Amino acid sequence: PPPPPRINSRFKIVFHPLSLSLPLSPPLPGSFSLSSNPSIKGCRGCVDSMAQAVEEWYKQMPIITRSYLTAAVITTVGCSLDIISPYNLYLNPILVMKQYQFWRLITNFLYFRKMDLDFLFHMFFLGRYCKLLEENSFRGRTADFFYMLLFGASVLTGIVLIGGM
């Protein structure tokens, strides 16, 4: 008797050992074939399901994490497209104190340099760890999580302002 088919559980593809050993023969029942598999919709179905997965992941994020991640992505994309200049975002104590450019107190936490693989890793870890904090340590206390981020940002900004003068 022929050996039983192997099932790759990650891709849901059935490989039959006899069909692999006879490449010129027609596929055996239960073997993998692109033309005979109605569940494969082509690339369009893959892109749609990927977009739905990303959208679902984004919508399941807690509100503070989602807001911070969105602001960081928009700011960095804006700089990459030359809509915003990074020189208008960085924290410069002299410009904050003498020219009253107070937005620099916030925008320096939103810019992550250029759009590249490093940026994607930063966004992944930012989303992951903020989400873990907001859902576990600060479960049901969204305002406390926001104040924790605000306190950390204030301390870091205070150090720069005091040290930069």
Side-chain angles (χ1 to χ4, degrees), residues 32-108:
F32 177 71
S33 170
L34 285 176
S35 60
S36 65
N37 193 342
S39 67
I40 298 178
K41 300 173 188 170
C43 187
R44 177 82 176 143
C46 296
V47 171
D48 287 344
S49 65
M50 175 87 70
Q52 288 174 351
V54 170
E55 181 181 3
E56 183 179 326
W57 170 78
Y58 180 76
K59 286 182 178 179
Q60 287 180 350
M61 266 192 224
I63 186 70
I64 302 298
T65 301
R66 185 171 55 224
S67 301
Y68 185 33
L69 189 68
T70 302
V73 168
I74 288 173
T75 304
T76 305
V77 167
C79 288
S80 294
L81 297 175
D82 289 331
I83 297 170
I84 308 167
S85 171
Y87 295 109
N88 291 327
L89 302 177
Y90 77 97
L91 181 59
N92 184 336
I94 295 169
L95 294 175
V96 171
M97 296 302 213
K98 302 214 171 156
Q99 294 184 10
Y100 307 111
Q101 296 181 4
F102 295 118
W103 68 83
R104 293 177 184 271
L105 298 172
I106 297 169
T107 56
N108 68 79

Side-chain angles (χ1 to χ4, degrees), residues 3-20 27-34 36-37 39-40:
R6 290 181 302 137
I7 299 176
N8 184 336
S9 61
R10 182 172 179 198
F11 298 108
K12 305 290 188 238
I13 299 172
V14 177
F15 294 100
H16 198 283
L18 289 180
S19 67
L20 295 177
L28 296 172
S31 64
F32 177 71
S33 170
L34 285 176
S36 65
N37 193 342
S39 67
I40 298 178

Side-chain angles (χ1 to χ4, degrees), residues 103-159:
W103 68 83
R104 293 177 184 271
L105 298 172
I106 297 169
T107 56
N108 68 79
F109 294 105
L110 302 177
Y111 179 59
F112 288 87
R113 296 210 251 161
K114 60 184 177 182
M115 295 273 303
D116 58 359
L117 187 61
D118 185 54
F119 170 75
L120 291 177
F121 277 110
H122 274 92
M123 292 302 102
F124 172 76
F125 287 118
L126 177 80
R128 177 180 167 87
Y129 291 117
C130 280
K131 181 180 177 182
L132 286 173
L133 270 173
E134 195 169 355
E135 288 181 343
N136 295 329
S137 299
F138 292 94
R139 178 177 292 278
R141 299 180 301 147
T142 303
D144 289 346
F145 180 67
F146 175 74
Y147 286 125
M148 188 266 309
L149 288 177
L150 190 63
F151 176 75
S154 300
V155 168
L156 290 172
T157 303
I159 291 170

